Amino acid sequence: MSQHPETLHWHGALDGHVRMIEQTLLPAEHRVIEVSNVKDMIAAIRRLAVRGAPAIGVAAAYGVVLGVGSLPESSSDAVLDAAETSCDQLAEARPTAVNLFWALNRMRSKARSVHGEGATGAELCQALLDEALAIHSSDRDTCRRIGEHGAALLNNDQTVLTHCNAGALATGGMGTALAPIYVAQEEGKNIKVYADETRPLLQGARITAWELSSAGIDVTVITDGMAARVMSEGRIDCIIVGSDRITRGGDVCNKIGTYGVAIAARHHGLPFYVAAPLSTVDTNLIEGGDIPIEERDPEEISSGLGRRITPDGSKIYNPAFDVTPRDLVTAIITEVGVIQNPNQGKMEQALNSAGISY
Ligand code: MRU
């Protein structure tokens, strides 16, 4: 079984901290940083030191623990207050990946229920650490199950195109979009990957390529504008991407540029797969148009490569995500199975089978 880099983990007991790979420095430098308060966790999520929807969820859950970690001697009411405040603050870190809000809802419900059962401050703090560790550990299992379902869609000697990074660095486990590739590799299949560089922050070139080559997988980096050409040359058998938010209707939000890849895939008759845990499904939304899209600093485009690349007079528009309509999605690969030609009925069936209410 191949070893995957661990994006982040909790270090120590209740008064511990989070250790995470500073992803903004990859691949030039592999630095592990310590995050020990809520403010620094929010900053780490915002600058993409930790990124990718499931990893953001795990980081936010640990962020709540950082908010109460120094309070075990305090009253249960004080710990609950601190947990609620931390949840409110962490929810402002980034707007699009729904796993952030999913994880915070879990932490908030745990805090309220344990407080309601008459726990002491110390017991409440411990329950929150246990809940965050459980969120992390279930994400590990979920990624593997996504990998197993997805690997069944891959044949030996196939080539996958992916966009952004939805690998181990983006999750608490082996990834979502990259998990089928890792499991296929374990099964002895020879799978090659084309990684879109993913402008403007280059998660594909910097992180996916680093992660895949470290795992011994043949990876070729292309610029985003080359994807359609590479498909037309017959180099690609299927596309697998991750997601930041999937609506109950089956529309898929992912890194900016994904929608164009899906259109090109349809034109070339190639399967377009989305791999994501059910925690990425926003059960409150049906239409992709209702998903809030993060708009990031224009500097990421104007000075993204370490020097000014646009003239002073030009305006910049920098949406970080786009939405691929369900009609362009061949299937969504989840931990409970593969949802072919997703629509509201099939999404609800999958949610029901996992006991998720909506
Ligand atoms: O801005 P990022 O790097 O957090 O965007 C990440 C993506 O778009 C991923 O594809 C998505 O979160 C899925 S990660 C398993």
Side-chain angles (χ1 to χ4, degrees), residues 72-306:
E73 307 299 322
S74 307
S75 69
S76 189
D77 285 354
V79 176
L80 178 63
D81 267 5
E84 298 263 15
T85 305
S86 302
C87 285
D88 293 345
Q89 292 169 339
L90 285 153
E92 298 295 319
R94 289 187 80 188
T96 302
V98 81
N99 306 61
L100 172 76
F101 310 103
W102 171 87
L104 291 174
N105 283 343
R106 258 185 76 162
M107 295 300 285
R108 208 188 280 274
S109 311
K110 178 56 76 173
R112 288 179 185 171
S113 68
V114 174
H115 174 265
E117 287 157 12
T120 63
E123 287 164 348
L124 181 45
C125 289
Q126 188 58 48
L128 288 171
L129 174 57
D130 293 345
E131 186 70 356
L133 291 168
I135 287 172
H136 193 170
S137 142
S138 80
D139 193 48
R140 263 183 221 115
D141 298 344
T142 297
C143 287
R144 172 148 284 277
R145 290 211 294 276
I146 289 171
E148 285 164 1
H149 290 300
L153 301 168
L154 297 175
N155 296 324
N156 190 29
D157 288 330
Q158 284 196 324
T159 302
V160 176
L161 182 136
T162 191
H163 190 79
C164 195
N165 172 262
L169 270 296
T171 66
M174 67 188 332
T176 57
L178 301 190
I181 296 162
Y182 290 134
V183 173
Q185 181 195 39
E186 286 172 18
E187 291 169 348
K189 294 175 193 164
N190 171 36
I191 306 293
K192 292 189 172 66
V193 177
Y194 275 77
D196 285 352
E197 67 171 353
T198 315
R199 283 280 289 148
L201 295 180
L202 307 177
Q203 289 94 327
R206 294 189 302 106
I207 303 174
T208 297
W210 179 77
E211 192 184 315
L212 288 173
S213 50
S214 308
I217 290 171
D218 182 313
V219 56
T220 304
V221 176
I222 55 172
T223 67
D224 299 350
M226 294 172 189
R229 169 72 195 174
V230 167
M231 290 181 207
S232 78
E233 290 173 343
R235 293 172 189 261
I236 306 297
D237 295 294
C238 71
I239 291 84
I240 312 182
V241 296
S243 174
D244 291 85
R245 197 184 291 225
I246 299 174
T247 67
R248 188 147 57 84
D251 293 339
V252 172
C253 178
N254 192 45
K255 179 53 56 192
I256 192 77
T258 302
Y259 179 28
V261 171
I263 292 171
R266 175 58 54 92
H267 183 77
H268 293 98
L270 295 171
F272 179 85
Y273 298 123
V274 176
L278 290 176
S279 55
T280 298
V281 178
D282 184 338
T283 53
N284 296 314
L285 296 185
I286 306 293
E287 298 303 327
D290 293 328
I291 296 174
I293 301 292
E294 177 181 17
E295 211 176 309
R296 291 185 63 86
D297 191 338
E299 286 266 312
E300 291 178 352
I301 293 178
S302 60
S303 303
L305 300 174

